[in-house]
Amino acid sequence: MTAYAAAERSTAWGTLGCELRAVNHRFLELGTRLPDELRALEPTLREQVSARVTRGKLDLVFRLRSEAAQSLGVNEAALEQLAALAQSLQDRFPGLTTDVTGLLQLPGVLQTQAVDGEGLKAEALALLEEVLTQFLAARQREGDKLATVIAERVAGIARIVGEVRTMVPEIRQGLRARLEARVADLAQPLEPGRLEQELVLWLQKLDVDEELDRLDSHIEEIGRVLVQDGPVGRRLDFLLQEFNREANTLGSKSVDRRTSQAAVELKVLIDQIREQVQNLE
């Protein structure tokens, strides 16, 4: 599912920012962009994300924005030595002036604050946990909306299955009537029992009770899965394969325009659900 979350926190080494965004993907694919100070932490960050997210193409970005007042300092001892040297040179070079910018560029004068690796690691992990909580909450909201859409399509499938159950006895009676009419038009009478044999063969083609029963079972199961906590996408993928199999069989057994149309409508709804399921974790 698509989702986005971001947060920042102030640390002793500057402002640490984290962003996590995701787009739809059948599996988990995680890309990272990290500052040099966090490169060694990448495996741990990946583990933390994969422990709570199982599906989607994710981009994890960390940024460390140093604050000048926090990260820079002056080596007072080196500065005192340079001041004494400048003073000693005044007698020889009366017009000597000091360029502050050039002075700060001399080796050892300007110092940057060393980064505490363990401290920054702890800050990064805590920040990622905060972002993950926001990220999963956004996914949950989207998932609830998608579940409602899927449930509407499943209700449509249930309606079609009920309609087919209702029309099957009528179709069977129509088959018998058509067969009897054809037999009546024959010049030679059929052998005893032949009519019933032919009728049985025709009715076997329309025996879709098992398919309808399995569809009812899958409808019940998908309703149960949609209200489960945790990842459900792959379970729904499997159920949709089963839905599609029964719809195909229903179409292949059809001997009536109405059941053929019902099979087509079922496949349309199944495809619509499949598109939405790709967005679910």
Side-chain angles (χ1 to χ4, degrees), residues 180-236:
E180 290 175 346
R182 290 182 183 181
V183 170
D185 291 337
L186 294 177
Q188 299 292 330
L190 289 178
E191 299 175 3
R194 181 65 183 275
L195 175 61
E196 293 302 323
Q197 292 176 5
E198 292 295 329
L199 182 60
V200 168
L201 291 175
W202 277 50
L203 293 181
Q204 283 178 345
K205 292 188 63 177
L206 191 61
D207 184 10
V208 293
D209 289 341
E210 290 186 9
E211 286 75 16
L212 296 176
D213 288 341
R214 283 194 289 267
L215 282 169
D216 280 337
S217 176
H218 298 332
I219 290 168
E220 182 179 348
E221 178 64 11
I222 203 171
R224 186 185 68 81
V225 171
L226 284 175
V227 297
Q228 283 183 345
D229 292 328
V232 298
R234 288 178 181 153
R235 175 62 178 164
L236 292 176

Side-chain angles (χ1 to χ4, degrees), residues 21-39:
R21 65 183 74 230
V23 295
N24 302 328
H25 199 274
R26 292 187 63 189
F27 307 102
L28 177 62
E29 181 180 325
L30 176 61
T32 61
R33 283 187 291 164
L34 308 174
D36 292 338
E37 295 86 351
L38 293 177
R39 290 291 181 191

Side-chain angles (χ1 to χ4, degrees), residues 155-168:
I157 291 175
R159 174 185 56 78
I160 294 172
V161 170
E163 291 173 353
V164 173
R165 282 193 186 278
T166 301
M167 69 177 67
V168 164

Side-chain angles (χ1 to χ4, degrees), residues 5 9 40 49-50 52 63 80 92 116 156 174 199 203 208 222 240 250 258 260 275:
R9 62 170 50 196
V49 173
S50 60
R52 301 185 65 182
R63 297 184 179 89
E80 287 294 334
R92 296 183 183 181
D116 176 5
L199 182 60
L203 293 181
V208 293
I222 203 171
L240 287 173
L250 183 64
R258 290 172 293 175
S260 296
E275 290 177 1

Side-chain angles (χ1 to χ4, degrees), residues 133-181:
T133 299
Q134 297 178 21
F135 177 84
L136 293 174
R139 273 196 158 192
Q140 181 64 51
R141 290 191 294 271
E142 183 182 355
D144 291 342
K145 294 178 182 178
L146 291 177
T148 300
V149 172
I150 292 172
E152 291 174 354
R153 303 297 189 276
V154 173
I157 291 175
R159 174 185 56 78
I160 294 172
V161 170
E163 291 173 353
V164 173
R165 282 193 186 278
T166 301
M167 69 177 67
V168 164
E170 180 184 343
I171 293 172
R172 286 173 176 161
Q173 290 297 326
L175 285 176
R176 175 183 287 272
R178 277 189 286 170
L179 186 57
E180 290 175 346

